[in-house]
Amino acid sequence: IEVDGTSHLTMARELQRHPVRHTVVHVDFQVVRRDEVMAADVPLTLVGEADAVHRADGVIEQQLFSLTVHATPARIPHGIEVDIAKMVIGDTVRVGDVALPDGVSTEVDPDVAIVVAQPPQVTEAALLTEAELEAAAEAGEEAGEAGEEAGEGGATAPAEGGEG
């Protein structure tokens, strides 16, 4: 940024957007030195398709959306990509599994999960509405009553036929 004819190396620390138009309303800048190691939150982006998880009706659940890294201003990445293409149900990608660029480190515990491949969580019954559940229960009761009546009718019909 240039202020009063003097250039300063800065980083945007906070960005505020209009809630409806999503245009930038306000930016807070921080003056930094080129050789100073600083902390920054970097977004994590999932890349690839977890076909094995999708074929098994599983779900990819992203649990960490940004990672706090430490680096000089020139080395801070714009984003970190996490490849999920080879994931199968039960797999977890952790912070320690992600390769950070040279000169970039993090103090986040390497065992913290970024992405988890979950098994299916919803059953068909859970997808039915309350009205559909009641209709299915009534249909089951009617089928049970019809079966009982058929059983009684079946027992009496041969007896009546045998008498006549």
Side-chain angles (χ1 to χ4, degrees):
I1 290 182
E2 191 169 315
V3 179
D4 295 329
T6 306
S7 286
H8 300 279
L9 179 62
T10 62
M11 286 184 56
R13 292 309 275 172
E14 185 177 342
L15 184 77
Q16 295 175 2
R17 294 187 178 272
H18 188 277
V20 176
R21 290 178 271 164
H22 300 289
T23 56
V24 176
V25 176
H26 178 80
V27 180
D28 284 339
F29 290 97
Q30 177 182 1
V31 175
V32 295
R33 292 190 346 234
R34 292 184 195 283
D35 60 345
E36 178 183 6
V37 173
M38 54 187 319
D41 288 336
V42 177
L44 296 169
T45 306
L46 304 184
V47 294
E49 287 291 325
D51 291 332
V53 176
H54 293 299
R55 277 194 300 267
D57 291 329
V59 177
I60 295 293
E61 182 181 338
Q62 186 172 357
Q63 297 182 345
L64 191 65
F65 294 89
S66 66
L67 183 65
T68 302
V69 298
H70 300 281
T72 58
R75 292 188 180 259
I76 295 174
H78 293 285
I80 297 172
E81 294 183 344
V82 179
D83 187 10
I84 61 168
K86 296 179 182 174
M87 291 185 79
V88 295
I89 290 185
D91 282 354
T92 302
V93 176
R94 301 181 190 286
V95 170
D97 299 331
V98 175
L100 297 176
D102 289 337
V104 178
S105 64
T106 184
E107 292 180 2
V108 176
D109 184 357
D111 290 331
V112 171
I114 296 173
V115 183
V116 178
Q118 300 271 352
Q121 301 292 320
V122 179
T123 63
E124 282 188 41
L127 295 175
L128 298 176
T129 64
E130 191 173 317
E132 291 171 327
L133 288 173
E134 289 175 8
E138 288 176 10
E141 289 173 9
E142 289 174 6
E145 290 172 5
E148 289 175 11
E149 290 174 6
E152 291 172 6
T156 58
E160 290 173 6
E163 292 176 8

